[in-house]
Amino acid sequence: MSGTKPGRQLLRQEVVDGIKRYILEERLRPGDPLPTEPALCEALGASRSSVREAVKILDALDIVEVRHGHGTYVGRLSLSALVESLTFRGLLSPDDDFQVMADLVDVRELFERGMADRIVSQLSTEQLDALDALVATMRETGAREGHGFVDADRAFHALLVAPLGNELIGQLSMAFWDVYTIVAPHLDGFTQADETETITAHQNIVDAARAGDITGFMKALGEHYAPVRRRIAEARSRR
Amino acid sequence: MSGTKPGRQLLRQEVVDGIKRYILEERLRPGDPLPTEPALCEALGASRSSVREAVKILDALDIVEVRHGHGTYVGRLSLSALVESLTFRGLLSPDDDFQVMADLVDVRELFERGMADRIVSQLSTEQLDALDALVATMRETGAREGHGFVDADRAFHALLVAPLGNELIGQLSMAFWDVYTIVAPHLDGFTQADETETITAHQNIVDAARAGDITGFMKALGEHYAPVRRRIAEARSRR
DNA sequence: GCAAATTTGTCCGTATGTATC
DNA sequence: AGATACATACGGACAAATTTG
C-alpha cells in the first residue's frame, strides 16, 4: 500500500510547482542552496523518483542546478534550454533546415541593425578599443586551427550589443550565435566562411562605429551578414 | 550487484543523447512514436529510472512529448522552454524584475519596428482585413471580462509578423507576449492598460499599414508601446 | 459497458559514485 | 585516510490512464 492519489494533476508537476514556489517564497537567488532530495520528499509529500524527475525538469530549464555529490542549487536562469531546443530543431528539420538557419541569422542581424543608432551612440571608447582588440585577435589566430577565431567572433558580437543595457538581447544574440555554430557544420554542402572577408567586415563595423557613422555602420553590418546569407542560399540550392 | 560505473559521463546524459540520436537517425518527425520505456532501457543499457529522467529532460525541452498511458512521441520543438525559463526569471528577480519586463517589451517592439518596411509591403489584403477584424473583436469584448480581449491582442501581434515568413520571429514574439502577460499581474504596483487607448493604437497600426505608410506605421507602433513602457517605469519608480 | 492489455506514473529498498571535511 | 552527506543508479512492485476487443 504505497499510497498515491494524484487526484487531478500529476504529482511530478506538483513537485515542480512546489520547488518553484519554494524558491520564490524564500526569495532565493541563483547559487543559493536548495533542500536535499530527502528533505524535498518530505516537504512535498512525494517519493525520491517524483522529486528527482521534477528536479531534472527544472535543471533542463536552468531554474535549478544539480552538482553531483554536493547538492542542488538555484540555477542561473540562462537561455541554455533555448539553445538546446533550437539546436535540435536545426538538426532535425529534414527539408527546410536551411530555413531555420536563415531565420536565425535574420534575427541576429535585426538585433544589430535595428539598434544601430543606440549602439553607435552608446559605445564607449573602452568598448571600441576592446572591439579592435578582438579583430586583431581574429587576424592573429586566423591561420591556426584553435578556438581563438570563433571565440573572438562570439565575443565581438556580444560586446556589440552590450551597450544597449538590454540583457535579453545580449543573451538571445549569443544563444543564436551558439546554435548557428553548432548546427552549421552538420549541414551538407555548407561552405566555410572566408576568414579574410570576415575580418574585414568586422573591422569596418568598428571603424564606422568609432566614426559615429550610423549609415556606414549599418552598411558594414549588411556586408557582414550578406555572405552568411549567401552561403546558406547556395547550400540550399545545391540540393 | 546492481552494477553502476558511470566511468566518464553521467548515464542519464548518455541516454538523453541516445534518444536524440535515435530521432535523428530514424528521421522521425514531430508526432512520430518513440519506443516504450522498457524498449529504451534495453536499447540504451540503462535502468528505467535513468531512462525516465532522461525522457523528462527532453519533455521539458519539447523535444519529446509524453502521454500518460499512451506512449512517448517526438515533440513539437516549440519555444515552451523559453517561456517557462523567462517567466520564472521575471517572477524571481527581486530588484530589477521590471528591467526584465522592459527588456522583453523592447525586443517585441524591435521585431515590429525593425521589420516595418517588410511588414507593410508584404501584408496581404486578407491579412489587413483579419487585423481589422481583430481590432473589432477587441472593441466588442473590451467591456466583458472574458479572454476575448487578450486573445485578440495576441493574435494581432502574431498576424503582424506573419508576413515576414520568419517562423523564429513569430514564435519569439509570441513567447515574449506570453511571458509578459503571465508575469505582469504578479508585479506590485502595476497598473492595468487602458483598453480604449490600446484599441486606438492597434487601429492606427492597421490603418497605416493599409495605406502603405511606413513612417506612420512606425509612429503608430511607437504610440502602442510607449504607454506600456511608461507603466513599467511608473511601477518601478513607485518603490 | 466491461475487462484485458499496454504504457506511463509512483513508490520503496538498496548499493555506488562523488565531493567535502 | 576515514567519515559524512549527497546525488546517481538499479530492480521490483503496484497504481493510473488509455486503448481495444
Side-chain angles (χ1 to χ4, degrees):
Chain A
M1 175 105 126
S2 51
T4 153
K5 22 190 126 63
R8 293 196 29 81
Q9 200 176 15
L10 259 42
L11 179 55
R12 185 205 319 129
Q13 189 56 42
E14 287 182 11
V15 175
V16 166
D17 295 338
I19 296 176
K20 281 183 179 178
R21 195 178 327 119
Y22 175 84
I23 296 175
L24 292 174
E25 289 179 351
E26 298 293 326
R27 303 282 199 276
L28 301 184
R29 306 295 315 262
D32 287 350
L34 262 57
T36 65
E37 286 179 354
L40 287 174
C41 291
E42 182 161 6
L44 300 171
S47 71
R48 260 90 75 196
S49 316
S50 299
V51 169
R52 282 183 58 80
E53 290 178 10
V55 168
K56 265 60 203 173
I57 291 174
L58 294 171
D59 184 82
L61 302 173
D62 204 16
I63 290 176
V64 144
E65 179 185 346
V66 180
R67 275 179 261 173
H68 190 170
H70 198 271
T72 308
Y73 303 83
V74 179
R76 318 216 83 81
L77 302 178
S78 69
L79 300 189
S80 56
L82 176 66
V83 176
E84 288 263 335
S85 182
L86 280 185
T87 297
F88 193 77
R89 185 195 289 192
L91 295 177
L92 182 61
S93 305
D95 37 309
D96 57 355
D97 42 2
F98 289 112
Q99 183 63 45
V100 174
M101 296 291 274
D103 290 354
L104 219 60
V105 174
D106 273 355
V107 176
R108 286 184 53 202
E109 185 173 3
L110 174 59
F111 283 155
E112 297 173 358
R113 287 183 71 124
M115 291 295 190
D117 52 345
R118 285 175 54 185
I119 292 175
V120 171
S121 64
Q122 295 176 5
L123 268 174
S124 69
T125 307
E126 290 75 16
Q127 287 172 321
L128 287 167
D129 292 343
L131 288 173
D132 268 327
L134 286 171
V135 177
T137 301
M138 294 172 72
R139 274 203 194 83
E140 295 162 7
T141 63
R144 288 176 290 179
E145 189 57 34
H147 290 190
F149 190 90
V150 286
D151 287 347
D153 187 17
R154 188 182 194 276
F156 183 95
H157 290 281
L159 191 51
L160 206 56
V161 296
L164 293 175
N166 187 320
E167 272 289 316
L168 183 59
I169 289 182
Q171 293 179 359
L172 285 173
S173 197
M174 289 302 94
F176 297 152
W177 193 96
D178 290 339
V179 173
Y180 181 87
T181 55
I182 294 173
V183 175
H186 291 80
L187 298 182
D188 291 340
F190 199 74
T191 58
Q192 203 57 283
D194 178 51
E195 289 185 352
T196 308
E197 189 180 28
T198 304
I199 294 172
T200 303
H202 284 82
Q203 185 65 64
N204 291 341
I205 292 173
V206 189
D207 292 344
R210 195 183 289 274
D213 178 9
I214 296 181
T215 307
F217 182 78
M218 293 187 65
K219 182 167 174 287
L221 281 176
E223 290 169 354
H224 169 277
Y225 283 105
V228 180
R229 208 186 320 277
R230 177 177 48 77
R231 294 207 317 283
I232 295 176
E234 284 177 359
R236 171 189 271 163
S237 67
R238 202 164 292 143
R239 294 194 184 175
Chain B
M1 176 100 125
S2 51
T4 155
K5 13 188 122 67
R8 293 187 33 78
Q9 199 177 13
L10 259 43
L11 178 56
R12 182 201 324 123
Q13 189 57 41
E14 288 182 10
V15 175
V16 166
D17 296 337
I19 296 176
K20 281 182 178 178
R21 194 176 330 119
Y22 176 85
I23 296 175
L24 292 174
E25 290 179 350
E26 297 293 324
R27 303 281 199 278
L28 300 185
R29 306 298 316 251
D32 288 350
L34 263 57
T36 65
E37 288 178 352
L40 287 174
C41 291
E42 181 161 9
L44 299 172
S47 73
R48 216 187 141 202
S49 318
S50 300
V51 168
R52 281 185 57 79
E53 289 178 12
V55 167
K56 264 61 210 172
I57 291 174
L58 294 171
D59 184 81
L61 302 173
D62 204 16
I63 290 176
V64 143
E65 180 185 347
V66 180
R67 276 179 259 173
H68 190 174
H70 197 270
T72 309
Y73 305 82
V74 178
R76 310 255 252 350
L77 301 179
S78 71
L79 300 188
S80 57
L82 177 65
V83 175
E84 289 264 333
S85 182
L86 280 185
T87 298
F88 193 78
R89 185 196 289 191
L91 296 175
L92 182 60
S93 305
D95 37 307
D96 56 355
D97 41 1
F98 289 112
Q99 183 62 44
V100 174
M101 297 291 274
D103 290 353
L104 219 59
V105 175
D106 273 355
V107 176
R108 285 185 53 203
E109 184 173 3
L110 174 59
F111 283 156
E112 297 172 358
R113 287 184 71 125
M115 291 295 190
D117 51 345
R118 286 175 53 184
I119 291 175
V120 171
S121 64
Q122 295 176 6
L123 268 174
S124 68
T125 307
E126 289 76 17
Q127 287 172 321
L128 286 167
D129 293 343
L131 288 173
D132 268 327
L134 286 171
V135 177
T137 302
M138 293 171 72
R139 275 203 192 83
E140 295 163 7
T141 64
R144 288 177 290 177
E145 189 56 35
H147 289 190
F149 190 89
V150 286
D151 288 347
D153 187 16
R154 189 182 193 276
F156 183 95
H157 291 280
L159 190 49
L160 206 57
V161 296
L164 293 174
N166 188 319
E167 273 289 316
L168 183 59
I169 290 183
Q171 293 180 358
L172 285 172
S173 196
M174 288 303 94
F176 297 153
W177 193 95
D178 290 339
V179 173
Y180 180 87
T181 56
I182 294 173
V183 174
H186 292 81
L187 298 181
D188 290 340
F190 198 75
T191 58
Q192 204 57 285
D194 178 51
E195 289 186 352
T196 307
E197 189 180 26
T198 303
I199 294 172
T200 303
H202 283 81
Q203 185 65 66
N204 290 342
I205 292 173
V206 189
D207 292 345
R210 194 183 291 275
D213 178 10
I214 296 181
T215 307
F217 182 78
M218 292 188 66
K219 180 167 175 288
L221 281 177
E223 290 168 354
H224 168 277
Y225 283 105
V228 179
R229 208 185 320 276
R230 177 177 48 76
R231 296 208 317 282
I232 295 176
E234 284 177 359
R236 170 188 272 163
S237 69
R238 202 165 293 145
R239 294 195 184 173

Tab-separated table of all heavy atoms in Angstrom, chain A residues 56-77:
chain	number	residue	atom	x	y	z
A	56	LYS	N	15.050	17.192	-12.392
A	56	LYS	CA	15.680	17.100	-13.717
A	56	LYS	C	15.005	18.047	-14.707
A	56	LYS	O	15.661	18.649	-15.552
A	56	LYS	CB	15.619	15.674	-14.245
A	56	LYS	CG	16.871	14.886	-13.949
A	56	LYS	CD	17.091	14.811	-12.463
A	56	LYS	CE	18.509	14.551	-12.051
A	56	LYS	NZ	18.627	14.670	-10.577
A	57	ILE	N	13.694	18.181	-14.607
A	57	ILE	CA	12.974	19.114	-15.475
A	57	ILE	C	13.450	20.539	-15.206
A	57	ILE	O	13.770	21.294	-16.132
A	57	ILE	CB	11.451	18.996	-15.230
A	57	ILE	CG1	10.943	17.648	-15.739
A	57	ILE	CG2	10.701	20.143	-15.879
A	57	ILE	CD1	9.489	17.383	-15.411
A	58	LEU	N	13.512	20.913	-13.931
A	58	LEU	CA	13.932	22.264	-13.586
A	58	LEU	C	15.394	22.488	-13.945
A	58	LEU	O	15.798	23.610	-14.273
A	58	LEU	CB	13.707	22.502	-12.087
A	58	LEU	CG	12.242	22.510	-11.664
A	58	LEU	CD1	12.114	22.537	-10.148
A	58	LEU	CD2	11.529	23.712	-12.276
A	59	ASP	N	16.181	21.422	-13.891
A	59	ASP	CA	17.587	21.526	-14.276
A	59	ASP	C	17.710	21.810	-15.774
A	59	ASP	O	18.561	22.598	-16.198
A	59	ASP	CB	18.322	20.237	-13.904
A	59	ASP	CG	19.806	20.309	-14.195
A	59	ASP	OD1	20.530	20.861	-13.363
A	59	ASP	OD2	20.229	19.839	-15.271
A	60	ALA	N	16.848	21.170	-16.558
A	60	ALA	CA	16.876	21.375	-18.012
A	60	ALA	C	16.533	22.820	-18.364
A	60	ALA	O	16.986	23.338	-19.382
A	60	ALA	CB	15.902	20.416	-18.702
A	61	LEU	N	15.739	23.477	-17.525
A	61	LEU	CA	15.345	24.863	-17.764
A	61	LEU	C	16.299	25.845	-17.095
A	61	LEU	O	16.088	27.050	-17.144
A	61	LEU	CB	13.917	25.092	-17.245
A	61	LEU	CG	12.844	24.197	-17.860
A	61	LEU	CD1	11.506	24.385	-17.156
A	61	LEU	CD2	12.697	24.501	-19.347
A	62	ASP	N	17.333	25.334	-16.450
A	62	ASP	CA	18.312	26.139	-15.718
A	62	ASP	C	17.658	26.949	-14.593
A	62	ASP	O	18.131	28.015	-14.217
A	62	ASP	CB	19.087	27.075	-16.646
A	62	ASP	CG	20.440	27.451	-16.056
A	62	ASP	OD1	20.885	26.766	-15.121
A	62	ASP	OD2	21.033	28.442	-16.507
A	63	ILE	N	16.551	26.437	-14.081
A	63	ILE	CA	15.931	27.025	-12.904
A	63	ILE	C	16.597	26.442	-11.669
A	63	ILE	O	16.629	27.052	-10.609
A	63	ILE	CB	14.411	26.745	-12.912
A	63	ILE	CG1	13.740	27.563	-14.019
A	63	ILE	CG2	13.778	27.055	-11.559
A	63	ILE	CD1	12.247	27.289	-14.165
A	64	VAL	N	17.152	25.259	-11.844
A	64	VAL	CA	17.847	24.571	-10.765
A	64	VAL	C	19.145	23.998	-11.317
A	64	VAL	O	19.247	23.708	-12.510
A	64	VAL	CB	16.931	23.460	-10.199
A	64	VAL	CG1	17.729	22.245	-9.804
A	64	VAL	CG2	16.134	23.978	-9.011
A	65	GLU	N	20.140	23.892	-10.467
A	65	GLU	CA	21.419	23.335	-10.913
A	65	GLU	C	21.844	22.250	-9.935
A	65	GLU	O	21.927	22.503	-8.729
A	65	GLU	CB	22.471	24.445	-10.972
A	65	GLU	CG	23.843	23.956	-11.397
A	65	GLU	CD	24.885	25.068	-11.335
A	65	GLU	OE1	24.480	26.242	-11.228
A	65	GLU	OE2	26.082	24.753	-11.379
A	66	VAL	N	22.103	21.066	-10.454
A	66	VAL	CA	22.462	19.926	-9.602
A	66	VAL	C	23.956	19.662	-9.709
A	66	VAL	O	24.498	19.560	-10.806
A	66	VAL	CB	21.682	18.664	-10.016
A	66	VAL	CG1	22.070	17.506	-9.118
A	66	VAL	CG2	20.191	18.922	-9.943
A	67	ARG	N	24.612	19.574	-8.551
A	67	ARG	CA	26.029	19.217	-8.529
A	67	ARG	C	26.193	17.890	-7.814
A	67	ARG	O	25.927	17.786	-6.610
A	67	ARG	CB	26.841	20.312	-7.833
A	67	ARG	CG	27.237	21.438	-8.783
A	67	ARG	CD	28.015	22.508	-8.054
A	67	ARG	NE	27.180	23.636	-7.681
A	67	ARG	CZ	27.594	24.644	-6.921
A	67	ARG	NH1	28.826	24.634	-6.457
A	67	ARG	NH2	26.784	25.649	-6.634
A	68	HIS	N	26.639	16.896	-8.576
A	68	HIS	CA	26.752	15.528	-8.076
A	68	HIS	C	27.578	15.482	-6.785
A	68	HIS	O	28.671	16.029	-6.722
A	68	HIS	CB	27.406	14.647	-9.139
A	68	HIS	CG	27.356	13.192	-8.815
A	68	HIS	ND1	27.705	12.228	-9.727
A	68	HIS	CD2	26.988	12.535	-7.704
A	68	HIS	CE1	27.578	11.043	-9.173
A	68	HIS	NE2	27.137	11.197	-7.945
A	69	GLY	N	27.025	14.839	-5.787
A	69	GLY	CA	27.746	14.681	-4.533
A	69	GLY	C	27.851	15.939	-3.708
A	69	GLY	O	28.523	15.965	-2.680
A	70	HIS	N	27.210	16.990	-4.161
A	70	HIS	CA	27.341	18.281	-3.471
A	70	HIS	C	26.003	18.823	-3.026
A	70	HIS	O	25.828	19.179	-1.855
A	70	HIS	CB	28.044	19.280	-4.390
A	70	HIS	CG	28.600	20.458	-3.673
A	70	HIS	ND1	27.870	21.596	-3.446
A	70	HIS	CD2	29.808	20.666	-3.113
A	70	HIS	CE1	28.621	22.455	-2.774
A	70	HIS	NE2	29.790	21.927	-2.563
A	71	GLY	N	25.069	18.871	-3.940
A	71	GLY	CA	23.753	19.379	-3.573
A	71	GLY	C	23.021	19.989	-4.753
A	71	GLY	O	23.497	19.969	-5.885
A	72	THR	N	21.842	20.540	-4.476
A	72	THR	CA	21.038	21.183	-5.506
A	72	THR	C	20.941	22.672	-5.202
A	72	THR	O	20.781	23.066	-4.048
A	72	THR	CB	19.625	20.566	-5.542
A	72	THR	OG1	19.737	19.144	-5.641
A	72	THR	CG2	18.840	21.082	-6.724
A	73	TYR	N	21.033	23.504	-6.219
A	73	TYR	CA	21.087	24.952	-6.026
A	73	TYR	C	20.177	25.659	-7.030
A	73	TYR	O	19.779	25.078	-8.039
A	73	TYR	CB	22.525	25.449	-6.209
A	73	TYR	CG	23.503	24.762	-5.287
A	73	TYR	CD1	24.038	23.522	-5.623
A	73	TYR	CD2	23.855	25.319	-4.064
A	73	TYR	CE1	24.915	22.870	-4.769
A	73	TYR	CE2	24.726	24.686	-3.214
A	73	TYR	CZ	25.255	23.456	-3.570
A	73	TYR	OH	26.106	22.809	-2.717
A	74	VAL	N	19.856	26.884	-6.754
A	74	VAL	CA	19.092	27.678	-7.704
A	74	VAL	C	19.944	27.929	-8.942
A	74	VAL	O	21.135	28.253	-8.818
A	74	VAL	CB	18.652	29.016	-7.079
A	74	VAL	CG1	17.872	29.859	-8.090
A	74	VAL	CG2	17.806	28.765	-5.839
A	75	GLY	N	19.358	27.744	-10.129
A	75	GLY	CA	20.097	27.860	-11.381
A	75	GLY	C	20.365	29.300	-11.779
A	75	GLY	O	19.941	30.240	-11.110
A	76	ARG	N	21.060	29.459	-12.880
A	76	ARG	CA	21.443	30.795	-13.323
A	76	ARG	C	20.394	31.417	-14.235
A	76	ARG	O	20.563	32.546	-14.688
A	76	ARG	CB	22.779	30.740	-14.040
A	76	ARG	CG	23.796	29.841	-13.367
A	76	ARG	CD	25.201	30.377	-13.467
A	76	ARG	NE	25.472	31.360	-12.422
A	76	ARG	CZ	25.793	31.042	-11.164
A	76	ARG	NH1	25.865	29.790	-10.806
A	76	ARG	NH2	26.020	31.968	-10.275
A	77	LEU	N	19.351	30.667	-14.571
A	77	LEU	CA	18.266	31.184	-15.403
A	77	LEU	C	18.777	31.687	-16.742
A	77	LEU	O	18.339	32.719	-17.254
A	77	LEU	CB	17.523	32.303	-14.667
A	77	LEU	CG	16.917	31.897	-13.317
A	77	LEU	CD1	16.243	33.086	-12.661
A	77	LEU	CD2	15.918	30.774	-13.525
